[in-house]
Every structure is written in C-alpha cells, then in structure tokens.
Amino acid sequence: MLLSMEHLRKEYPNGKIAVDDFNLEVDRGEFIAFIGTSGSGKTTTMRMINRMLNQTSGTIKINGKDISKMDPVKLRRSIGYVIQNTGLMPHMTIQENIEMVPKLLGWSKEKREEQAHKMIALAQLPDEMLQRYPGELSGGQQQRIGVVRALAADQELILMDEPFGALDPITRESLQDLVKHLQKDLGKTFIFVTHDMDEALNLSTKVVIMSQGKQVQVDTPENILRHPANEFVTNLIGEERLIRAQPNILTVSQIMLKNPAAITPDKTLEDAIEQMHERRVDTLLVTDKTGVLQGFVDLDDINRIADAHTPVSRFTQDRVFYVKANALIGDTVDRILKKGVKNVPVVDEDKRLVGIVTRTALVDIVYDALHGAPDANEKPASPINADIHAAATREGGEMPQ
Amino acid sequence: MMHFLATYGTQLLSKTGQHLLISAAALGLGVIVAVPLGILLTRMKHGANLVMSLAGVLQTIPAMALLAMMIPIFGIGSTPAIVALFIYSLLPILRNTYLGMQGVSPTVRDAAKGMGMTWWQMMTRAEIPLAAPVIMSGIRLSATYVIAWATLASYIGAGGLGDFIFNGLNLYRSDLILGGSIPVILLALLVDYLLGKVERAVMPKPLR
C-alpha cells in the first residue's frame, strides 16, 4: 500500500467542513481521479497529502509512515506536484525548472544535468528546449515540462491539481496520453483532481466521486458507469455519457438471446426441418453433446438433399463466425457489423454455445450511442429482439460465415 | 564658466562628494529598512495598509519642516539630514517592494512550496528574483528624490551642493545657484541611469 488515508477530516475555523471522513487506499501504480463539483473537497483532500494543508483529524500514511510526523519540506520533495497553469518558474530556464527538486535534494551537477536530458526526452520535447524560458513555450509544452518536472527526482507519487484544465482539447488529449504512459510504463502513482468526467473515466484506475466533502462513490470507471451509486453520480456522469459508454461496458452476454435454436450432428435432416419449423427459423446452430459449437445448417443446403435420414453432420457448414460471451460490445460490434451477418453465435470460454447476438440488437446499441435513448437501459433487450431475431431468420437465408 | 570652475572647482568636487555621501547613506538605510519591511508586510494579513499609510503620512511632511524637526533630536550636521532623507526614501521602496512581492503569481508560490522549498528558499529563489525589477524601480525613484532633496540638507548644516544654492540665494549670485543646481541635476540623472542598468540586470532574462 503506497498511500492510505483514514477518516480524514478538514474543518475550517469558520466551521465549514471541507472534507468529512475520507477513506482511501492507493496501491502503487494506480491512477486515482478525484472528481466532483467545485467545493466538493477534492482539491482540499489532495493538498492534505503533501501537507499544503493539514487535516483536522484522521491520518495519512505513505509507505506506512504517518506524514504528520514527517518534515513537510522533505515530504513535499518526495511527492511530485503538478498544478494548473504549470507553476513553472518564469525566471528560470526549462533546465533549471526541471532540476529544481533534484537541486533542493542536493544532487550533483552532473546527475542533475543527466536527469534534465532524460526528462525532456520523456516529455517528448527537443533537447534544445532545455535552454529556453517557460514564456517561450506553448501552454501544452509548458505543462509537459510541468509533468516531467514532478518526476525529476524519481518521485513515486504524483499529485495533479486540474493539470490540463486550461488546455485546448487536442493538447489536453496528448497530455493525457503522456501521463497515462508514465503511469503504465513507469509504474508511477497518480492522484489527479479534475472536473472533467471524460478525463477521469479515461485515465484512472479508480475514480473517487466527491460531493460536499464526502465520498459518494469510489470504484473503477467501468463499475461507476455500470452502477452509478445514486442520482448525483448519474447526473455528474451525464445520461448521454452513460449511454455512449454502453458499448464499452456491456458484454456480449448482456445483449445476446439465450437458448438459440441448435441441433446435434447425430440428428437427421428430418429432425432439423422439424426444429426449424418449430422455432420458425431458417438456420440451426450445430453443437456436439457437450454443447461445443460445431457449425450451422442452412435451409438452402437442406433443400438439395433428398434423403430425410441424412445425418445433420453431412450438411453442417463448419466455417462459422462466433464471438465470446465476455467480450465487450465496443470491441466486437465493428467486427460483427463488417461481416454483414444477421446474427452471430455466442460461445463461452470452452467454445460452448450460450446464445446468439442479432444484428438488430447491435444496431439498437449503435443507434443509442449516437443519438441517445434515455429509456435504452430500462428496456430489457431480449423480448423485443427475440421477435426481430425470429423475423430476421425467417426472411434471411444468410448465415454466419 | 571657466572662471567659475577655476574659483570653485575644488569646493564643487568636495560638495558633490558630500552630497553623494548623504544621499547614499539615506538611500542605503532606506533599502535596508524598507525592503525587508515590504516583504514582511506581504506575509501579514493586517497591518500592511496601516504601515503603508504611515509611510504615506511621513511623505507629506514638508521637507524643510522635517529637516527642522530633526535638529532637536540629532542637532545639526549630516546626521539629521541623513535621517530625514531616509524617512523620505522609505515610501517608494516600501510600496514597490510590497507591490512587487504581491505581484508574484500565487501559482508560482504554490508550486515553489509544493515542490518542497523552505520559506527562505521560496524568498530567495522564487519570489525576490521575480519581484526584483519592481523593487529596484522603487529604489531608483527614491534615489532621484533623495538626491534632489539632499540640497535642502545644507540648510541644517549638512553641506552638499545645497551650500552653493543657498549662498547664491543669499548673495543674489545666479552663477552660484546654477553652479549648485546643475551638478545636482546631473548627479540625479547619472544615478538614475546607473540604477536603471541595475534594474535591467536584476530583471529575469525572459522579461527583458
């Protein structure tokens, strides 16, 4: 456990409670986003971690050590700090800015210089830029420096207070990629304050949603999108975003139809036709006795065969396109739609048939994602789609290839 | 002109020296007191306004009166003159130091502290370097004032170029008046120019 915060509380002399009973455990390499409306206490909480503010009660431990017993200056030198509008020293060169904390820590000149070159490369900026002054750089370049400066003394934990709030969307995105890379590849731990929900959902491994000094929900972005704790969270995320996120959080198993029409290979043609008639479909999926998908049979193929006792295995087409039940819709929808098939069998990890996804169900999801449909998540997908599925298979002769 | 210089040349040099000495002493004291005080004021929530208006009030006392008031305390000579001029030098330096320090962006202060600078490091490495041009322009302004007003110091026996002017006034000798005034003007211009150079030198490179 890199960082743990227990029963943290911050009360101002005027009686205002900024943070109330805040608890959080942060592992190494995590990316934590604090998000909430202004005045929710997110920045206050973050600033207590490097003792820019002191808590009224509760404890913060870094690597098991209570920070209230540490020298605040030493503590701050061990924690990276990035703020909005960069906080670069305008009277120092980029190199001097990057070398600031290493210099405070008394590193040798050679070591500092080496680190400056390393850091500017990490920021994906040209080496010559070290000799420039912050004022000569664009806002995005400045903040890149701001970010790598926070790592220059090999800090493990980096605090960021709305670091990209003042940047345009494109620059912001490239900066987000940079920090994501630092977190993933260098294993740095980030605590990140933002009011941008997209940013929080895209970057973080854990989102802490705050309101009026309290934690409303603490969970992974996926779980927050899937199960918003209450109306506040729903509103904060936004209906639009919830719907748009569906392809990314829904799995195939959530939209598939269960109990697809299937037959075993040892059955005869007669059985197959009878089952098609019963289920009102023109194709049957073929599975072995243990339920493993083998292929499918098509009404067209059956027509050409005269003998009613031919076993199903003789006219099974084994080139079948299928998807895994636990795959995310977002990852599979393109593949399915591109294939141009009407429906796709769904299998589990052992390739056992568990259901079928119809093209119509996918179209609904894509449509909702584009245009939004407030009632989309209330509508149970299966019953409606069942009819469509039946209809589609009745008309269409095309089967998954 | 040549005649004037031939007659009063050495006297002129020594008086200029005196004048410069009095001014420098007063200004030096002003810097030593007003700069730290101005910095201190930015750290205090209250009191800044009080101190600033007090310095403002001191500024409004007529120069002659202030000099005269020094006599009962310090007698006559250069000491009372230096003290009086020191009081005059305070306000511009104090105000500029205060404004300069206030002008340092809170973001820079926050970053400096958040990255682990001690109070002293924040002062010496971030805030004072950034406020230096404004502080320096206050010092420059004070210097010009002090050199001009040091002329009056001769009235309480401190010497300086004012001696020429007062003599000239008493004797209706315009050459003496000009012989005192022109060097004062030149001195003020020269010091202002030199301090302007200093101001530029302390200015952070990217702001020049």
Side-chain angles (χ1 to χ4, degrees), chain A residues 52 76-77 81 91 100, chain B residues 110 113 115-116 121 125 206:
Chain A
M52 293 296 273
R76 287 179 201 134
R77 288 175 189 175
Y81 191 50
H91 60 299
M100 204 151 139
Chain B
D110 190 50
K113 189 176 174 190
M115 287 194 307
Q121 286 164 337
R125 297 191 192 182

Side-chain angles (χ1 to χ4, degrees), chain B residues 59-142:
Chain B
Q59 196 83 7
T60 61
I61 303 172
M64 275 307 214
L66 189 65
L67 284 168
M69 278 195 289
M70 291 297 137
I71 296 174
I73 310 170
F74 298 104
I76 55 167
S78 52
T79 313
I82 289 170
V83 173
L85 291 171
F86 152 72
I87 288 172
Y88 273 120
S89 74
L90 284 177
L91 185 68
I93 303 176
L94 192 65
R95 181 182 287 157
N96 275 45
T97 304
Y98 183 77
L99 290 179
M101 294 298 282
Q102 288 259 297
V104 176
S105 124
T107 320
V108 167
R109 254 201 294 262
D110 190 50
K113 189 176 174 190
M115 287 194 307
M117 285 194 181
T118 59
W119 187 87
W120 183 248
Q121 286 164 337
M122 275 174 72
M123 282 295 138
T124 54
R125 297 191 192 182
E127 299 193 45
I128 293 176
L130 285 168
V134 185
I135 297 174
M136 204 52 222
S137 77
I139 294 173
R140 202 172 144 192
L141 189 67
S142 270

